[in-house]
Amino acid sequence: MTSDGFAPKRPGWEAYFLAMAMMAATRSTCIRRQVGAVIVTDNRILATGYNGSPSGTKHCEDIGCLRQRLNIPSGERHEMCRAAHAEMNAIAQAAASGTAIAGCTLYSTHEPCSICSKLLINAGCKRIVFIHPYPDELSADLRSEAGIISDVFNGTDEVLRILRGAREG
């Protein structure tokens, strides 16, 4: 109950899962962009991921950003990065636990790049919901061609309300 005696508004599923993706992003070790992802089927979380260096390797926040050093613009040369993307890590987490994700929805703080989109297509993802668009035309084209539904989430205020409520509770 709130101080005025009313129960707080229960969040919708999409806002809830995107709030979870935002929480996952807080674990990121990337110094340029913090990204979180949540893989869901039937309103059940199957895996989460955030962008960061592969297990057992040095983090960019400790040794600097290769992309910054090489002056690579956002949306280009994805392979020139120490970090595994949030979507990659979520797929890897599901695979490591033997969790099938075919037919899933991916909730992400950012639109997937073309490399992550290819992985999501091959993993059988059916829908992607994200908050922030990403400058990668090929990514959107591939997802469209593969029949993946891509939605920009416009309820960021609701997501932020969820996160504020979690801190205050």
Side-chain angles (χ1 to χ4, degrees):
M1 289 275 198
T2 61
S3 60
D4 59 5
F6 292 99
K9 184 177 183 272
R10 187 174 184 207
W13 285 113
E14 289 191 347
Y16 171 75
F17 293 129
L18 286 165
M20 298 293 282
M22 289 178 82
M23 286 302 299
T26 66
R27 295 278 308 149
S28 171
T29 59
C30 177
I31 58 179
R32 286 177 67 159
R33 176 176 288 135
Q34 289 68 49
V35 180
V38 177
I39 296 175
V40 174
T41 296
D42 297 326
N43 291 334
R44 289 182 172 34
I45 296 172
L46 304 178
T48 65
Y50 55 87
N51 58 327
S53 299
S55 297
T57 66
K58 295 177 181 170
H59 297 290
C60 300
E61 64 186 12
D62 297 325
I63 63 170
C65 176
L66 175 64
R67 293 177 63 80
Q68 277 183 337
R69 221 174 14 255
L70 298 174
N71 202 28
I72 298 171
S74 182
E76 296 179 17
R77 305 286 319 270
H78 303 292
E79 76 282 3
M80 296 301 293
C81 180
R82 291 184 61 82
H85 290 185
E87 303 90 338
M88 294 175 188
N89 281 325
I91 292 168
Q93 183 185 80
S97 67
T99 303
I101 63 170
C104 73
T105 297
L106 175 92
Y107 293 90
S108 182
T109 57
H110 293 72
E111 183 176 8
C113 71
S114 57
I115 294 172
C116 289
S117 288
K118 290 184 259 186
L119 290 169
L120 290 162
I121 290 165
N122 284 346
C125 182
K126 296 297 179 199
R127 183 170 177 239
I128 296 170
V129 181
F130 57 91
I131 297 171
H132 304 288
Y134 188 70
D136 187 342
E137 243 179 81
L138 177 59
S139 177
D141 291 345
L142 288 169
R143 291 192 317 268
S144 176
E145 185 178 339
I148 293 179
I149 298 165
S150 296
D151 293 319
V152 178
F153 183 75
N154 293 315
T156 307
D157 288 345
E158 184 179 8
V159 174
L160 295 175
R161 182 184 58 79
I162 294 167
L163 294 171
R164 273 194 309 274
R167 284 196 303 266
E168 294 168 2

